[in-house]
């Protein structure tokens, strides 16, 4: 009987695939049906036989070259599940379209600049296209390790989210293309907040009041901010600074003092776990309900709701400070390695990657935010409210200062956070001291 059921499921999937190719059902319906059967995107792609439906064909005006016998080498960091989708859907689709092969190369983020310097200096280019965190781009430009892209506006689709473009430029010139944007959204346990008679906070005042009420009801703080040293607390502080109207490179201003004072005032009602809260542990805390309100990256939607079954966990874009709602623009961008012999192939891959068809698949299968605002339509019905939160948050993003000494700044911000928020030291004099360290780092750079 079980074999008959699986056979029937696959027969139904094949019939639905044919209906999709004939234009009688949407891509969303096809993905939703496959997901209900536990069928992954690569299998769906196989059911389609590498073909595209009429809607995709109609909008797909990509003009890609033919690269038979050539191999494009891409530096791209992926989890195992992401790698499966990339290889079986994205890379295979590009090869089917262009006859060119795609090879993934893994380089640790801290080794990227050193590796590229050696390759560019020797002229032995072994990586054609790289993805890099959008906050680690300045050394690539300063070291002349990536190509300038004067035609970037023509390469990017018209539907590219406008807020992503600023981080791609240095001195008004494009050096990068969008690859995978990211933004933090706010997760909350609806059942727990209802029990405490608390609404999801939309302002600093509401956040402070909600944290206090939840602590009083639970006997322990259950609101979290990410306090792990380095990048995690750097994002936390930067967002609070912007919300106060401040600047992470000028922290001893009245606006900077207001941001740190607010975090210090918030601390008594936070979860005791906040110093260990980062991208992965925050998901764990939301799953075990030791935290009921926290900001984290969108990948948590699949981890908490889909895999963890916590349907009571909902999301919204977040809260605003005195200067408004602001989020750090996270994620990766594409850069063409200086002197690559496969420049045209690399640009065509970036075009294909940014196409609506590919972006829809990455969003629906992996939960990645899309680089374009017309590629969210293929998400499953249960995912839609969560992606509305992501789309809203993306309208409030700013890139962090793209300076070569940002790593030093994050360490300084971490120390200021520990002194002021965790240890309760005086705000202004502590910020004056650490501003001196930021100024020294800037002069050294």
């Amino acid at each position: 009987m079980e074999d008959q059921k699986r056979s029937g499921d696959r027969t139904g999937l094949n019939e639905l695939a044919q209906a999709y190719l004939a234009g009688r059902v949407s891509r969303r319906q096809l993905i939703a049906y496959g997901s209900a059967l536990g069928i992954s995107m690569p299998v769906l792609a196989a059911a389609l036989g590498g073909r595209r439906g009429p809607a995709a064909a109609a909008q797909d005006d990509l003009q890609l070259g033919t690269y038979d016998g050539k191999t494009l080498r891409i530096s791209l960091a992926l989890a195992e599940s992401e790698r499966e989708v990339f290889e079986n859907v994205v890379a295979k689709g590009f090869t089917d379209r262009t006859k060119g092969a795609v090879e993934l190369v893994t380089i640790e983020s801290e080794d990227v600049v050193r590796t590229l310097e050696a390759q560019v200096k020797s002229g032995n280019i072994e990586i054609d296209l790289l993805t890099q965190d959008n906050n680690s781009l300045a050394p690539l430009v300063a070291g002349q390790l990536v190509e300038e892209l004067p035609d970037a506006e023509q390469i990017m689709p018209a539907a590219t989210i406008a807020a992503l473009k600023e981080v791609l430029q240095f001195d008004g010139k494009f050096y990068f293309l969008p690859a995978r944007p990211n933004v933090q959204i706010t997760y909350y346990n609806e059942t727990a907040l209802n029990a405490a008679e608390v609404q999801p906070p939309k302002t600093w005042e509401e956040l402070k009041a909600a944290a206090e009420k939840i602590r009083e009801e639970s006997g322990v703080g259950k609101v979290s901010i990410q306090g792990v040293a380095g990048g995690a607390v750097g994002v936390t502080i930067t967002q609070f600074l912007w919300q106060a109207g401040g600047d992470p490179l000028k922290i001893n201003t009245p606006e900077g003092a207001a941001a740190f004072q607010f975090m210090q005032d918030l601390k008594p009602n936070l979860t005791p776990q906040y110093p260990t809260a980062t991208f992965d542990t925050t998901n764990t805390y939301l799953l075990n309900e030791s935290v009921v309100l926290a900001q984290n990256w969108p990948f948590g939607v699949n981890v908490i709701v889909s895999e963890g079954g916590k349907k009571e966990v909902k999301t919204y874009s977040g809260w605003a400070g005195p200067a408004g709602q602001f989020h750090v623009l996270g994620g990766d961008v594409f850069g063409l390695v200086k002197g690559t012999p496969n420049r045209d192939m690399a640009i065509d891959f970036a075009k294909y990657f940014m196409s609506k068809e590919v972006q829809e698949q990455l969003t629906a299968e992996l939960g990645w935010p899309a680089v374009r605002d017309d590629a969210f339509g293929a998400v499953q019905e249960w995912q839609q409210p969560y992606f509305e939160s992501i789309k809203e948050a993306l309208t409030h993003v700013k890139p962090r200062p793209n300076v070569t000494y940002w790593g030093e700044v994050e360490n300084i911000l971490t120390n200021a956070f520990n002194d002021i928020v965790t240890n309760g030291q005086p705000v202004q004099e502590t910020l004056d001291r650490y501003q001196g360290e930021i100024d020294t780092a800037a002069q050294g750079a």
Side-chain angles (χ1 to χ4, degrees), residues 131-397:
T131 59
Q132 182 75 333
D133 187 287
N134 67 24
N135 197 229
S136 303
L137 306 181
L140 298 176
V141 176
Q144 300 182 29
L145 303 177
V146 289
E147 299 272 359
E148 183 186 344
L149 301 172
D151 51 348
E153 293 276 22
Q154 288 71 50
I155 296 171
M156 290 183 286
T160 299
I161 296 171
L164 306 184
K165 294 183 180 180
E166 180 182 347
V167 76
L168 309 175
Q169 305 173 61
F170 284 77
D171 296 327
K173 299 177 181 179
F174 280 94
Y175 288 88
F176 302 96
L177 297 168
R180 178 185 177 182
N182 217 351
V183 62
Q184 288 193 351
I185 54 177
T186 304
Y187 295 76
Y188 66 97
N189 187 307
E190 186 175 48
T191 303
L193 263 62
N194 287 345
E197 298 182 342
V198 168
Q199 294 297 313
K202 298 293 184 68
T203 66
W204 278 12
E205 292 75 16
E206 291 178 4
L207 173 61
K208 185 178 177 181
E212 183 175 2
K213 183 72 179 297
I214 291 169
R215 181 189 60 78
E216 290 174 350
E217 291 291 323
S218 304
V220 63
K222 290 194 172 186
V223 172
S224 182
I225 58 176
Q226 295 192 14
V228 168
V233 79
V235 169
T236 296
I237 296 169
T238 299
Q239 292 184 159
F240 277 118
L241 284 166
W242 285 340
Q243 290 163 16
D247 181 343
L249 299 182
K250 297 291 182 182
I251 61 175
N252 65 338
T253 62
E255 295 81 6
F260 275 88
Q261 186 64 63
F262 177 77
M263 289 186 284
Q264 188 183 73
D265 294 343
L266 187 63
K267 186 254 183 178
N269 296 308
L270 293 175
T271 171
Q273 297 170 306
Y274 82 86
T276 62
T278 185
F279 70 95
D280 52 353
T281 56
T282 295
N283 289 336
T284 301
Y285 301 155
L286 286 162
L287 280 166
N288 65 26
E289 298 189 20
S290 59
V291 166
V292 298
L293 177 71
Q295 291 190 329
N296 203 15
W297 305 99
F299 85 104
V301 172
N302 281 346
V303 174
I304 298 166
V305 183
S306 180
E307 298 171 13
K310 300 288 287 186
K311 295 181 180 180
E312 66 271 32
V313 173
K314 311 295 184 184
T315 63
Y316 67 109
S317 60
W319 51 76
Q325 182 180 163
F326 292 94
H327 297 264
V328 164
L329 173 62
D332 300 329
V333 300
F334 283 124
L336 273 69
V337 177
K338 189 83 168 180
T340 170
N342 295 315
R343 187 180 192 278
D344 290 345
M345 189 178 183
I347 289 176
D348 275 357
F349 180 86
K351 286 181 179 179
Y352 180 70
F353 190 91
M354 292 185 286
S355 69
K356 182 178 181 181
E357 181 183 5
V358 171
Q359 288 294 300
E360 283 184 336
Q361 293 181 62
L362 293 175
T363 299
E365 181 73 3
L366 298 178
W368 288 10
V371 303
R372 48 193 298 158
D373 57 21
D374 61 351
F376 290 88
V379 299
Q380 300 169 44
E381 185 174 354
W382 74 267
Q383 293 175 306
Q384 291 174 19
Y386 300 97
F387 275 93
E388 287 302 317
S389 303
I390 297 168
K391 289 169 66 177
E392 172 64 22
L394 282 170
T395 66
H396 301 286
V397 294

Side-chain angles (χ1 to χ4, degrees), residues 385-438:
Y386 300 97
F387 275 93
E388 287 302 317
S389 303
I390 297 168
K391 289 169 66 177
E392 172 64 22
L394 282 170
T395 66
H396 301 286
V397 294
K398 285 178 61 175
R400 286 159 288 184
N402 227 326
V403 293
T404 55
Y405 57 95
W406 180 254
E408 294 177 73
V409 172
E410 284 187 329
N411 291 332
I412 295 167
L413 293 178
T414 296
N415 292 335
F417 180 88
N418 289 338
D419 285 355
I420 294 171
V421 180
T422 302
N423 298 321
Q425 294 186 11
V427 174
Q428 190 61 58
E429 64 182 71
T430 304
L431 292 180
D432 288 339
R433 175 161 47 90
Y434 283 115
Q435 183 62 52
E437 294 188 14
I438 292 176

